[in-house]
Amino acid sequence: MRTAQLFFLLTLVGSVLTVSLVPRFAQATGGISGAKLATPNTETVPHFRMEFEPCFVVAYDLGNFNDSWRSSANEGRARSLVSGLRFTVGLSSNFEVGLIAPLMLNKQWGPGDLKLSGTGLGDIPIGAKVRFAEDEDWSLAWHGGVTLPSGDSDPGPWELATGEGTTVFETGLIATIQAASNLSFDINLNIGTAVPTMDGSHEEWSVTLELAAGYTFGSFQVVVELLQEHAGWEEYDSSSFSLLAGFTYELSEEVIIVAGPQWDFAGRNATHAIGGGLAFTLLL
């Protein structure tokens, strides 16, 4: 990477941290690479090379969707700021492994003068991806991984948790379709299951469907994604629908910028939030 590009990147990252902006959204299986926003694709990191991706994500709690699919505002307000580092290594021409090291900063205000916060390491996702079939216009890949309960799920008084306190195993399939020279689609179906906890308060299983479309103009790609998750709990289930819109910009073969907002537009027994993300993908 040229010195000027590295200086530009570090300056941009510093400005992002200063004004608390934020980025690439969490994927169903953490640690694997992608070519759009949240939805992974079938491409893998080149053999014996590594992708290093600093990312920043912020989310504001707007309320909760009830059992009737209606959103109700909370008495207080909550904000989550996540900065993370993704490391993904190509072990062969079609096989990669990776992980994300997340740093959580959670804040909650109200009602009244109540203020809660939680800062620290979040749960660490580790994942792998294998492309096992491909043709001229399409390809398929398997991915799977585990999320380790490294975050603090039992905080003290006036503190918020930075982790879920449970181990989650995930697996899924990805399809990438090259519909035209400048138009591509990624489809990801992910299934997850959690190790039951003593109090049974965490989700026991989840199914996630991600649909992404990208249209390129030279080095610039416009991206729209639709995410749907259905999760089962001990006493009820939940559903959520989210819309993402953003872009990727390729500064060079080694540096890509990823940015865009996310909006939870519908749900049942789920959190109603809005947020945004920013990430920098570096191929080393």
Side-chain angles (χ1 to χ4, degrees), residues 6-108:
L6 181 58
F7 177 78
F8 171 81
L9 178 66
L10 294 177
T11 302
L12 191 55
V13 171
S15 66
V16 167
L17 290 173
T18 301
V19 299
S20 297
L21 290 178
V22 292
R24 176 169 288 200
F25 307 88
Q27 299 170 151
T29 295
I32 62 176
S33 62
K36 296 181 176 65
L37 299 177
T39 306
N41 67 347
T42 59
E43 293 182 6
T44 56
V45 175
H47 190 204
F48 286 152
R49 301 195 69 177
M50 181 179 73
E51 275 191 0
F52 170 64
E53 186 178 73
C55 67
F56 316 89
V57 177
V58 68
Y60 289 92
D61 183 12
L62 301 178
N64 292 286
F65 292 107
N66 59 28
D67 194 55
S68 301
W69 297 82
R70 296 181 178 180
S71 178
S72 58
N74 295 330
E75 294 185 6
R77 282 291 181 264
R79 181 191 70 185
S80 296
L81 175 61
V82 183
S83 61
L85 299 175
R86 176 173 67 84
F87 303 88
T88 308
V89 178
L91 298 183
S92 72
S93 60
N94 62 347
F95 177 46
E96 68 178 30
V97 296
L99 62 84
I100 298 176
L103 177 63
M104 311 292 293
L105 176 59
N106 297 328
K107 295 287 186 179
Q108 183 174 319

Side-chain angles (χ1 to χ4, degrees), residues 65-70 230 236-240 266-270:
F65 292 107
N66 59 28
D67 194 55
S68 301
W69 297 82
R70 296 181 178 180
H230 188 77
Y236 63 91
D237 58 356
S238 65
S239 296
S240 62
R268 181 171 62 88
N269 298 325

Side-chain angles (χ1 to χ4, degrees), residues 260-279:
Q262 175 173 340
W263 172 46
D264 300 333
F265 65 90
R268 181 171 62 88
N269 298 325
T271 301
H272 184 193
I274 189 171
L278 178 65

Side-chain angles (χ1 to χ4, degrees), residues 6 26 50 57-58 69 80 90 92 101 108 140 146 148 173 177 187 189 207 209 216 218 243 246 252-253 259:
L6 181 58
M50 181 179 73
V57 177
V58 68
W69 297 82
S80 296
S92 72
Q108 183 174 319
L140 299 174
V146 58
L148 304 177
L173 291 175
I177 302 171
I187 305 170
L189 178 63
V207 177
L209 178 63
T216 58
L243 180 66
S252 69
E253 293 183 359

Side-chain angles (χ1 to χ4, degrees), residues 136-138 176-186 213-215:
E136 182 178 356
D137 298 326
W138 60 267
T176 294
I177 302 171
Q178 193 68 42
S181 60
N182 54 357
L183 177 62
S184 64
F185 298 93
D186 297 320
Y215 191 88

